Amino acid sequence: NAGVTQTPKFQVLKTGQSMTLQCAQDMNHNSMYWYRQDPGMGLRLIYYSASEGTTDKGEVPNGYNVSRLNKREFSLRLESAAPSQTSVYFCASTRPGGITEAFFGQGTRLTVV
Amino acid sequence: QQPVQSPQAVILREGEDAVINCSSSKALYSVHWYRQKHGEAPVFLMILLKGGEQKGHEKISASFNEKKQQSSLYLTASQLSYSGTYFCGTEIPDSWGKFQFGAGTQVVVTP
């Protein structure tokens, strides 16, 4: 049982390049999330998806787009990367049925130069 | 809108106790606590629901005061394994499923 899997683990981009961060969960969870983690700022919600086919903005959505491809996969796209998007990105999911804990992927460390 | 955690950091010797606080400016539906080791993903510790419920995980317990819109995490008789960054995550009634996390409290337990 892999849980939440993120790819890639590390990435270096040049300013203006685009890329997609992939996330997949095999726990049959309904809700999925993308967070970014910066020093001293904790985890900030970028986008989340309550269920397949729905997405909603979080605290810091500017510069990002998401796709909930199916129940398992939730991708995060940077169309034109900027140095301010250098961060560690975490994907998370929660199971259905009310208030439950979030399961996190191992993170993607992204550097934009 | 992020919950506010205090202190930002704490250094303990093995066996000592510590309290981490998490407060929100909005009414809370639930509070979650997570611990993150350096270079790893956050790991769930416990959830507290409104009603002042207190829960425990090993010698780590927490309380939730709904009226004060705050939660506290208690590290009792700390162990080396307790080192890490602790985050509270809050969920407010009109934003179901949108967890917001505090900036974190770094805990270092020394021998």
Side-chain angles (χ1 to χ4, degrees):
Chain A
N1 192 347
V4 179
T5 303
Q6 289 182 235
T7 55
K9 288 187 169 51
F10 301 93
Q11 184 71 49
V12 178
L13 288 179
K14 292 184 178 180
T15 298
Q17 285 185 318
S18 62
M19 80 160 294
T20 299
L21 279 63
Q22 306 287 352
C23 175
Q25 51 88 12
D26 61 2
M27 296 175 285
N28 201 35
H29 286 178
N30 279 4
S31 300
M32 298 184 72
Y33 310 80
W34 277 105
Y35 291 92
R36 61 176 289 172
Q37 184 173 35
D38 303 294
M41 305 200 67
L43 294 154
R44 291 183 293 168
L45 183 63
I46 305 171
Y47 271 94
Y48 90 109
S49 171
S51 61
E52 182 180 354
T54 67
T55 61
D56 198 0
K57 295 179 180 179
E59 305 165 70
V60 289
N62 292 343
Y64 305 95
N65 286 303
V66 290
S67 295
R68 183 73 184 266
L69 304 170
N70 47 55
K71 191 170 186 178
R72 290 186 63 247
E73 298 171 291
F74 189 37
S75 62
L76 179 72
R77 183 161 178 84
L78 287 71
E79 291 292 351
S80 179
S84 61
Q85 293 178 306
T86 293
S87 187
V88 180
Y89 292 85
F90 285 100
C91 176
S93 68
T94 58
R95 59 175 178 260
I99 302 168
T100 65
E101 70 270 29
F103 292 82
F104 286 84
Q106 289 302 303
T108 296
R109 185 173 295 275
L110 175 67
T111 303
V112 183
V113 298
Chain B
Q1 286 194 349
Q2 274 185 300
V4 177
Q5 283 185 238
S6 63
Q8 288 185 324
V10 59
I11 300 174
L12 301 165
R13 291 202 170 188
E14 263 188 302
E16 291 183 338
D17 302 339
V19 180
I20 300 169
N21 298 304
C22 174
S23 62
S24 172
S25 60
K26 296 191 174 186
L28 298 175
Y29 189 73
S30 68
V31 178
H32 302 223
W33 286 97
Y34 292 79
R35 179 171 63 204
Q36 184 180 30
K37 303 277 187 178
H38 183 69
E40 298 180 5
V43 174
F44 169 77
L45 293 176
M46 64 191 79
I47 294 175
L48 298 104
L49 306 178
K50 61 182 182 179
E53 187 173 352
Q54 189 152 353
K55 288 202 168 187
H57 171 85
E58 300 172 342
K59 289 185 179 179
I60 300 173
S61 61
S63 62
F64 179 23
N65 188 319
E66 179 190 352
K67 288 184 179 178
K68 291 186 178 180
Q69 296 167 187
Q70 61 184 218
S71 176
S72 295
L73 187 74
Y74 307 94
L75 306 182
T76 304
S78 58
Q79 305 169 14
L80 295 176
S81 62
Y82 288 2
S83 292
T85 301
Y86 290 77
F87 293 97
C88 68
T90 58
E91 190 176 17
I92 60 178
D94 60 354
S95 294
W96 179 266
K98 277 189 179 180
F99 300 105
Q100 291 186 309
F101 288 89
T105 296
Q106 186 177 10
V107 172
V108 176
V109 181
T110 62

